[in-house]
Each structure stands twice: as C-alpha cells, then as structure tokens.
C-alpha cells in the first residue's frame, strides 16, 4: 500500500507499506527520521512520541496507514513547528494592531515591517530549555519528552506542576529522577511568558 502524509511540513510518500507496519517504522526506516526512538514497541515508554494532527501519540502503536493524508510532527521538526507557530502569533498580533489603526509596526509608505525579521532559532524553545536545565542524560527518552512538552506548552502556556506531570506521564526516563525534566518544562514556560510580554 502507498501512504501519503505530511511530516514536519513536507509531503512524503511511502510505497509498499504492509498493513502491520507502524508509523514509527516508516518514519525511521523509510523516511530517515531517527529522532523518534524504538524502545518498547508497546506504547509504554513514550520514546516514540510524535504529534499526529497535533495530538501526541506513540508512533509504535499507530499503523502507518492511519497516517494517510494526515500531519505528523517529529522531534526533528519541532524547531520549524515552533517558528511557524510564533510567526502565526506575531502575524495575528500585527493584524490586530493594524485593525486598531496602529502604524508603529510598519515602515512609512510601503507597508513592509519596520525591522527585518529575526532569524529562526536553531532549536525550539522547549529544546533549548532542556539543554539549559540539564534535562538530557542518555537522550533516548528525550525526543518523546520534547514532543509531549511542546504540545503541553502550546495547549497550556502556563502549566502547573500537575499539568506537566500529567502531560509527561506517558514518557519514561531511566536515567533521571525527572526533576531536571520538570525544571526544563518550567523554564520553557517561563521563557514563553516573558516573550509574550
């Protein structure tokens, strides 16, 4: 069977996919995206977490055919996804300002932005927070944790500790006591709040 879907903003097609083939296998072996890890193959560890139409799922439990026509975001696409999300928010703020009659964000006369756009960060904010908080040990669980944390922060920009624990409850880490991981999500949330001011 042929499966056509969007991965990290780009359309992909996988041919000769058999009915039992997982989305994880297609991502790693057919599309060359090894970020999502193959650990338990039972949906217990969360190392293979990706976003399927915006919802975190264990890619090992999703049949590849279920991704037909859908959108997948993997850890490799988080930076671009975060950049597009922030540009969308900035565009919304610019259009709200323009609707209110504000011209402070536009150069006189030609309607172009007064300042050049800031180059995109090499990492998503949550990825940088994990590094800065020292939340990465062996790195095997990190991709799934990053995808789950990114989805949480998109849905709930100022999460409580209970929100963070719930969002990451499907992701296991054998190296840490989770405190640095929680610190990283808190740090990403704090930075996001600061950026929104």
């Amino acid at each position: 069977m042929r499966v056509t879907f969007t991965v990290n903003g780009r359309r992909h097609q996988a041919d000769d996919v058999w009915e039992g083939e997982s989305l994880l296998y297609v991502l790693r072996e057919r599309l060359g995206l090894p970020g999502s890890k193959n650990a338990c193959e039972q949906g217990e560890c969360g190392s293979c977490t990706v976003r399927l139409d915006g919802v975190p799922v264990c890619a090992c439990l999703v049949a590849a055919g279920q991704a037909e026509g859908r959108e997948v975001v993997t850890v490799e696409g988080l930076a671009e996804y975060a950049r597009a999300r922030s540009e969308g928010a900035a565009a919304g703020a610019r259009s709200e300002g323009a609707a209110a009659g504000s011209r402070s964000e536009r150069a006189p006369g030609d309607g172009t932005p007064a300042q050049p756009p800031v180059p995109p960060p090499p990492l998503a904010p949550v990825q940088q927070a994990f590094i800065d908080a020292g939340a990465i040990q062996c790195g095997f669980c990190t991709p799934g944790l990053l995808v789950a944390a990114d989805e949480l922060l998109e849905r709930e920009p100022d999460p409580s500790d209970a929100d963070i624990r719930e969002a990451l409850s499907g992701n296991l880490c054998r190296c840490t006591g989770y405190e640095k991981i929680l610190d990283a999500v808190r740090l990403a949330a704090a930075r996001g709040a600061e950026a929104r001011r």
Side-chain angles (χ1 to χ4, degrees):
M1 122 177 93
R2 172 178 290 163
V3 179
T4 304
F5 57 111
T6 302
V7 181
N8 301 329
R10 293 172 186 84
R11 189 165 183 229
H12 288 277
Q13 181 175 295
D15 292 316
D16 300 323
V17 174
W18 58 281
E19 290 82 17
E21 203 165 303
S22 70
L23 176 59
L24 177 62
Y25 184 87
V26 170
L27 292 170
R28 290 180 58 83
E29 305 302 328
R30 294 180 180 268
L31 300 182
L33 297 169
S36 303
K37 302 302 182 209
N38 186 4
C40 71
E41 294 189 66
Q42 297 176 359
E44 296 292 328
C45 72
S47 294
C48 66
T49 302
V50 299
R51 291 180 75 170
L52 181 62
D53 291 338
V55 179
V57 298
C58 291
C60 70
L61 296 181
V62 176
Q66 291 178 287
E68 176 65 37
R70 298 174 79 183
E71 184 171 333
V72 175
V73 176
T74 70
V75 70
E76 291 94 343
L78 278 186
E80 179 64 26
Y81 189 75
R83 185 184 66 74
R85 185 171 53 220
S86 68
E87 284 178 357
R94 280 194 299 273
S95 65
E96 287 173 16
S102 169
R103 297 198 187 278
S104 61
E105 296 182 25
R106 302 235 176 243
D110 65 0
T112 59
Q115 298 178 0
V118 176
L123 297 173
V126 71
Q127 290 171 311
Q128 189 62 55
F130 265 63
I131 292 168
D132 295 344
I136 299 170
Q137 299 247 337
C138 81
F140 206 79
C141 66
T142 305
L145 285 164
L146 286 167
V147 171
D150 184 71
E151 187 276 336
L152 166 67
L153 293 171
E154 181 179 1
R155 176 173 39 87
E156 178 56 58
D158 186 25
S160 67
D161 280 359
D163 293 333
I164 297 169
R165 290 176 189 278
E166 176 65 26
L168 303 183
S169 65
N171 298 79
L172 302 179
C173 175
R174 297 184 69 179
C175 298
T176 71
Y178 294 96
E179 199 55 44
K180 295 279 187 189
I181 294 167
L182 297 174
D183 289 345
V185 179
R186 291 183 199 114
L187 178 60
R191 287 178 176 170
E194 184 65 32
R196 287 187 300 277
R197 289 183 195 175

